[in-house]
Amino acid sequence: MTTSSSETSNNVRRGSIACVGLGMTLGSHLTPLARSYIEQADVVFAAVSDSVVEVWLERMHPDVRSLQPYYGDGKPRMKTYQEWVELFMGEVRAGKRVCAVFYGHPGVFAWSPHKVIKVARAEGFEAHMEPGISAEDCLYADLGIDPGRLGCQHFEASQLLFFERRIDPTAYLVLWQVGVVGDWSSKKLQTGSEHRQLLVDLLSNDYPLTHEIIIYRCATLPIDKPQIRRIALHELPHVPLTTAETVILPPAAEMKQNVAMLERLQALEGAEAFT
């Protein structure tokens, strides 16, 4: 017996997933499109900064499920993130419209959103990532940094210890997750001063130990203000840090002109273009 397309559409419901960002500051960073994904979902999963944000989300949707219980002491974070993906896909495969909500930007320092979108699309489901305001965006505004003026490098702090990376001290250097720098296991919530000393030892190849650095944390509630501390580089091992804080090293040297390339450009464009 032949089944009509209308019967098929009525009897078979395809699931979908949207990973959306709430931004960093509660309420003020949520875009209308992100809100619509939340409100129109069948189920909402939340990986947000604190329980206050979860309560706020529950005002928009009756079925908000916290992802915080999937973390555990001594449990690798990657295992938690893999469990999230399977959790999301279980609902998608059941034909539900799923919305996974993440604080900040869902594609910045977030493995699960990228992975679940890739898996969902590979299985033929609709999947979408809706951007949000990230800690990086807040950093530029709060610290008055224009990344286009001198350039800006971003590294996950442990990558500087685990791999050979090139640092340009004429640009801003932004280091993420310094609070867990050197944690190869991805199980720890914080590493110690000895780990941060290794980072300082590495950075001292390009920066003087007296170089002023910035420890930054953006505001997450409208009543809060960003936290900004300025210390010398050599003090970093002795300052407690969490994963929510970011370390910024302003430029320590001036940019040098590439004389050879300028001469080639001058020959190409004509001398009048450089007067």
Side-chain angles (χ1 to χ4, degrees):
M1 185 175 72
T2 303
T3 303
S4 68
S5 60
S6 60
E7 288 176 334
T8 300
S9 62
N10 289 333
N11 294 331
V12 179
R13 183 184 180 194
R14 299 290 284 172
S16 64
I17 184 163
C19 296
V20 308
L22 286 183
M24 299 304 298
T25 304
L26 177 63
S28 60
H29 289 172
L30 183 66
T31 67
L33 187 53
R35 177 184 286 271
S36 70
Y37 277 114
I38 295 170
E39 293 174 340
Q40 295 174 21
D42 295 315
V43 56
V44 175
F45 292 101
V48 294
S49 53
D50 54 54
S51 58
V52 174
V53 182
E54 291 181 2
V55 172
W56 178 71
L57 273 174
E58 289 169 356
R59 298 177 182 176
M60 284 185 273
H61 198 281
D63 188 3
V64 175
R65 305 177 190 179
S66 175
L67 294 171
Q68 295 301 323
Y70 289 85
Y71 287 109
D73 292 337
K75 180 180 180 181
R77 289 186 292 277
M78 183 54 67
K79 181 174 176 59
T80 296
Y81 301 152
Q82 291 169 339
E83 290 174 348
W84 289 359
V85 171
E86 285 305 310
L87 186 66
F88 302 159
M89 287 306 303
E91 297 294 342
V92 171
R93 293 171 185 134
K96 295 182 180 180
R97 292 171 297 180
V98 177
C99 184
V101 180
F102 298 83
Y103 68 91
H105 190 302
V108 177
F109 281 92
W111 182 87
S112 299
H114 288 290
K115 182 63 176 180
V116 74
I117 286 175
K118 182 177 181 180
V119 171
R121 289 175 177 170
E123 295 185 16
F125 295 105
E126 181 181 349
H128 173 75
M129 180 180 289
E130 184 60 26
I133 294 176
S134 68
E136 177 186 349
D137 302 310
C138 298
L139 180 154
Y140 294 142
D142 292 333
L143 299 181
I145 294 174
D146 179 357
R149 191 171 73 87
L150 297 173
C152 194
Q153 306 163 98
H154 293 261
F155 291 107
E156 197 278 333
S158 290
Q159 285 189 4
L160 292 182
L161 300 185
F162 299 159
F163 304 98
E164 294 183 2
R165 307 301 303 264
R166 297 178 63 182
I167 295 174
D168 180 1
T170 69
Y172 284 94
L173 176 63
V174 181
L175 300 179
W176 301 93
Q177 298 185 332
V178 177
V180 288
V181 66
D183 176 23
W184 187 271
S185 69
S186 79
K187 295 180 179 180
K188 299 178 181 179
L189 300 177
Q190 193 173 28
T191 51
S193 60
E194 297 87 354
H195 294 79
R196 292 195 296 279
Q197 184 62 56
L198 291 177
L199 178 63
V200 169
D201 292 344
L202 179 71
L203 293 171
S204 66
N205 293 323
D206 296 288
Y207 300 88
L209 290 173
T210 55
H211 189 63
E212 183 180 80
I213 67 173
I214 305 167
I215 300 175
Y216 169 78
R217 179 172 182 170
C218 64
T220 56
L221 296 175
I223 59 173
D224 292 339
K225 292 184 178 180
Q227 298 176 22
I228 301 171
R229 292 181 284 169
R230 299 178 187 272
I231 64 172
L233 176 59
H234 68 84
E235 298 178 275
L236 184 60
H238 313 293
V239 177
L241 291 179
T242 68
T243 54
E245 292 171 300
T246 304
V247 174
I248 302 97
L249 282 75
E254 294 185 0
M255 292 186 290
K256 296 180 180 179
Q257 288 190 340
N258 187 334
V259 176
M261 186 56 69
L262 287 173
E263 289 175 349
R264 292 180 63 182
L265 286 169
Q266 187 173 9
L268 181 66
E269 300 289 341
E272 66 276 5
F274 291 84
T275 58

